Amino acid sequence: MMGRVEALELIVDEGQPANAGRFFQLGHDLLALLDELSDVPVPWWIRSLRTGSALATLAPPNEHPEHGRVLRLAVASLNAVDRGFRLSDEWTPDAIKAAHRFVEHGQPTDLEENWVPPRLVLLTEGSGPAPTVVLTPELGDRLRELTPFVRSMPGSVRGELVGLNVSR
């Protein structure tokens, strides 16, 4: 049985100097994803930052450790998608889009030869292997398939609309 969630590590460009643009974009995208998965705004804390291979550790505020469930939901759900399962009903269409954006921004540019996929590692109390999700192109493809279709109908009405007849 896994213990209480302590924090979530975002690891970018492991084993080599980190691409700064990717690191900061992924940090932003991760916060956007966590906000979409949370019922209330959470002031996530940065528990640690390391350079070289960039590593950021996010944690819920000390006074609200229950928000760690959002970190667990993110990692467990992305792992499920990576294994071919669907997302739970807790995921809104906006959360799915945020997850897809997060994974896509972790992919290599055309000029990168030694790209290492970013990872999320869930840090918990207790022993056992830490749940990890790797942001692979395949995960991005699966999330794209789950992203709901949105119909956009551009148009506008100027002035005051008095009535609308849609029959022919």
Side-chain angles (χ1 to χ4, degrees), residues 12 21 27 38 40 44 57-58 74 83 92 94 105 116 120 145 158 162:
V12 179
S38 179
V40 296
W44 299 105
T57 305
L58 294 177
R83 292 189 322 267
T92 65
D94 287 339
H105 286 155
V116 177
L120 289 176
E145 292 170 6
R158 293 180 185 246
V162 181

Side-chain angles (χ1 to χ4, degrees), residues 64-144:
H64 294 289
E66 69 275 7
H67 292 308
R69 74 164 191 78
V70 176
L71 304 177
R72 185 184 307 273
L73 175 64
V75 171
S77 298
L78 291 174
N79 266 327
V81 169
D82 199 31
R83 292 189 322 267
F85 296 101
R86 301 206 49 85
L87 289 167
S88 71
D89 291 339
E90 293 178 84
W91 283 70
T92 65
D94 287 339
I96 297 169
K97 286 183 220 170
H100 179 251
R101 216 174 15 255
F102 173 57
V103 173
E104 286 299 307
H105 286 155
Q107 301 312 301
T109 64
D110 292 336
L111 303 176
E112 290 181 283
E113 296 176 11
N114 298 323
W115 174 76
V116 177
R119 293 185 298 132
L120 289 176
V121 180
L122 189 66
L123 305 178
T124 61
E125 289 179 338
S127 61
T132 302
V133 63
V134 180
L135 309 184
T136 62
E138 294 78 20
L139 177 58
D141 292 343
R142 289 184 179 110
L143 285 166
R144 182 177 35 256

